[in-house]
Amino acid sequence: MEHTYIFFHKHTLICTVFILTIFLILITEFIEYIISKNKINIQDAINIINHKNGIVVDFRNEIKFKQYHIINSININNIEKLSKFKKNHIIVIHETNLKAYKIIEKLKKKEFKNFSYIHNGLNEWKKAEYPIIINNNAKNES
């Protein structure tokens, strides 16, 4: 025990950085665990869309939605407008997993029952080379 104290005393900066690094890793893992509860992959999303009355709702701003989006997805920025889709399985698209998770939490509060988000959203969809609508003129429209 005495050697540990001496080592810590001589190398305070290194030990502090090490402890902070471990702490930040644990926080990051905890956040990832929490937001992964409603996470689905591309194949799960396609299955939900094709067989379980799924609807893709893109919560990005309208300008980004017009630039590119998943075919047949809808752009909504207000959860109140989703009430007519309460019986559908809502698949949330947003810019980050954390933003998608925040939308999921709002859906829970509004008593939606079926919802999930695509892990890494549109980036994952594009990487898998699934079809998207691209509007090159969208930047000029606003």
Side-chain angles (χ1 to χ4, degrees), residues 29-93:
E29 289 298 317
F30 179 70
I31 290 170
E32 182 63 30
Y33 170 75
I34 288 175
I35 68 174
S36 69
K37 290 183 181 179
N38 298 98
K39 173 175 68 175
I40 59 173
N41 62 34
I42 300 293
Q43 291 302 322
D44 292 336
I46 290 171
N47 185 44
I48 291 167
I49 292 165
N50 291 336
H51 303 291
K52 297 181 181 177
N53 204 22
I55 182 166
V56 179
V57 182
D58 193 324
F59 283 90
R60 296 175 305 140
N61 68 45
E62 187 178 355
I63 294 168
K64 289 183 180 181
F65 179 79
K66 284 182 178 180
Q67 288 174 355
Y68 64 94
H69 58 272
I70 295 173
I71 292 175
N72 296 327
S73 64
I74 60 173
N75 182 237
I76 293 180
N77 291 321
N78 184 347
I79 289 181
E80 303 299 326
K81 295 178 181 177
L82 278 178
S83 60
K84 62 183 173 185
F85 299 110
K86 269 199 172 180
K87 294 185 182 199
N88 295 77
H89 187 114
I90 306 294
I91 300 172
V92 174
I93 294 289

